[in-house]
């Protein structure tokens, strides 16, 4: 039995025009779902008689939430769950809007991290695009080297302003205490305090954790695959999908640390 077969249906049949109440109407083609369309002869309102709706229960909604963090297209989710693309888009936008800005980052503990001076952060940039490849949107990411949690991210261009925005998104305890490891990209210079900035080559293996996370992002978020048909058409949805996955990833990391 498929998931869609277990969903409940809300049954309802119209006998009159929902606008004026007239029972004088005629057939008028079909709507996008294939249902028979009708048009009222009195007021011209178009409507369907069969208003049966599929009710998506909480169990299926939780499955959809998990699938949004896997490398599967929106149309693929619709086929797998048995929902319409219109419902999925509305659900996805509401889901992205509810994702917290704090990314579920585990708070820094003063005794372990600050006083011992062992806070270390890896930072890197990831290429992506919105709508077309000539419209690049770089994903700037900062990761705690020890907990492997993503502590901040920013989506923008690859200039200095984006580096500044990433720095401002990083929690204060890290900005004041941590040592930062980045590649030798010039945009970081002057943004991260020089005394705590280590611009290194990849051979130094000080950014291998965040580079591995970049690979995880491309493997799990279909919008970030270089050659994909599941690319983002809106910047807000692009950022929302990335934030949603990062929150999911951080919660997983937190569970492993407990």
């Amino acid at each position: 039995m498929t998931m869609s077969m277990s969903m409940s249906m809300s049954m309802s049949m119209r006998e009159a025009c929902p606008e004026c109440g007239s029972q004088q109407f005629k057939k008028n083609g079909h709507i996008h779902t294939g249902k028979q369309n009708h048009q009222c002869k009195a007021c011209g309102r178009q409507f369907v008689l069969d208003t049966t709706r599929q009710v998506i229960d909480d169990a299926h909604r939780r499955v959809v939430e998990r699938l949004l963090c896997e490398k599967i297209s929106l149309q693929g989710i619709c086929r797998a769950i048995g929902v319409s693309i219109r419902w999925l888009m509305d659900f996805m936008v509401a889901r992205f809007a509810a994702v917290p800005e704090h990314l579920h980052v585990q708070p820094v503990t003063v005794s372990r991290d600050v006083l011992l001076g062992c806070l270390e952060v890896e930072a890197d940039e990831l290429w992506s695009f919105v709508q077309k490849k000539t419209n690049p949107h770089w994903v700037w990411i900062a990761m705690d080297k020890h907990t492997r949690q993503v502590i901040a991210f920013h989506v923008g261009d690859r200039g200095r302003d984006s580096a500044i925005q990433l720095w401002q998104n990083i929690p204060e305890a890290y900005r004041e205490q941590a040592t930062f490891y980045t590649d030798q990209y010039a945009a970081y210079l002057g943004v991260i305090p020089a005394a705590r900035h280590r611009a290194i080559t990849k051979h130094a293996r000080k950014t291998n954790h965040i580079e591995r996370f970049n690979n995880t992002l491309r493997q799990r978020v279909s919008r970030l695959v270089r050659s994909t048909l599941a690319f983002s058409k809106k910047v807000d949805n692009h950022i929302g999908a990335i934030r949603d996955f990062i929150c999911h990833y951080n919660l997983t990391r937190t569970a492993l640390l407990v």
Side-chain angles (χ1 to χ4, degrees):
M1 181 179 292
T2 63
M3 289 184 178
S4 59
M5 293 176 63
S6 65
M7 294 182 188
S8 61
M9 306 295 289
S10 175
M11 306 293 293
S12 178
M13 292 292 293
R14 289 194 178 109
E15 297 181 353
C17 172
E19 185 71 24
C20 67
S22 172
Q23 295 183 342
Q24 301 298 316
F25 49 83
K26 63 180 180 179
K27 293 181 178 179
N28 187 39
H30 296 80
I31 63 174
H32 67 282
T33 61
K35 289 184 178 181
Q36 179 67 58
N37 192 34
H38 296 78
Q39 185 176 33
C40 177
K41 293 182 178 180
C43 67
R45 166 72 183 271
Q46 297 188 46
F47 59 94
V48 294
L49 296 180
D50 181 5
T51 59
T52 299
R53 296 188 301 109
Q54 190 177 58
V55 179
I56 315 300
D57 58 27
D58 290 340
H60 286 85
R61 290 171 183 267
R62 287 192 294 269
V63 173
V64 172
E65 288 177 355
R66 293 199 298 270
L67 290 179
L68 287 172
C69 291
E70 300 294 339
K71 190 169 68 174
I72 179 172
S73 67
L74 297 182
Q75 291 288 357
I77 295 176
C78 291
R79 291 191 294 269
I81 304 299
V83 297
S84 69
I85 188 64
R86 180 175 298 179
W87 178 89
L88 180 58
M89 288 296 295
D90 290 342
F91 179 84
M92 180 192 72
V93 170
R95 166 74 179 176
F96 291 169
V99 175
E101 295 285 343
H102 57 66
L103 306 178
H104 295 297
V105 177
Q106 186 179 29
V108 172
T109 56
V110 174
S111 59
R112 180 179 69 84
D113 297 317
V114 178
L115 295 183
L116 294 179
C118 64
L119 278 180
E120 293 182 302
V121 174
E122 300 176 17
D124 199 14
E125 323 87 53
L126 176 76
W127 178 86
S128 69
F129 70 95
V130 174
Q131 201 167 40
K132 53 187 178 181
K133 289 188 175 180
T134 55
N135 185 29
H137 282 68
W138 287 84
V139 185
W140 296 68
I141 306 170
M143 170 181 282
D144 186 306
K145 187 177 181 65
H146 301 289
T147 67
R148 310 283 179 83
Q149 287 195 319
V150 176
I151 60 174
F153 84 102
H154 172 68
V155 177
D157 59 19
R158 210 186 178 203
R160 181 180 175 83
D161 288 343
S162 290
I164 294 173
Q165 187 60 59
L166 174 68
W167 175 256
Q168 293 174 347
N169 292 347
I170 294 173
E172 184 177 2
Y174 289 94
R175 284 188 276 120
E176 293 180 351
Q177 300 290 336
T179 299
F180 289 80
Y181 298 94
T182 72
D183 56 23
Q184 297 179 328
Y185 187 46
Y188 292 109
L189 300 178
V191 176
I192 302 174
R196 291 185 285 113
H197 183 203
R198 307 289 184 268
I200 46 84
T201 64
K202 291 185 177 181
H203 298 293
R205 300 182 62 83
K206 291 293 187 179
T207 57
N208 57 332
H209 297 128
I210 196 166
E211 288 172 8
R212 178 61 180 84
F213 177 75
N214 288 346
N215 183 46
T216 298
L217 268 179
R218 291 202 188 279
Q219 293 298 321
R220 298 285 296 277
V221 183
S222 59
R223 300 165 185 267
L224 300 181
V225 177
R226 292 182 183 275
S227 296
T228 180
L229 295 177
F231 55 85
S232 299
K233 298 178 178 63
K234 294 183 178 180
V235 175
D236 288 345
N237 290 344
H238 193 69
I239 296 173
I242 296 170
R243 180 182 290 113
D244 188 31
F245 178 78
I246 289 176
C247 285
H248 169 76
Y249 177 85
N250 281 348
L251 287 173
T252 303
R253 294 300 308 176
T254 299
L256 295 174
L257 293 170
V258 173

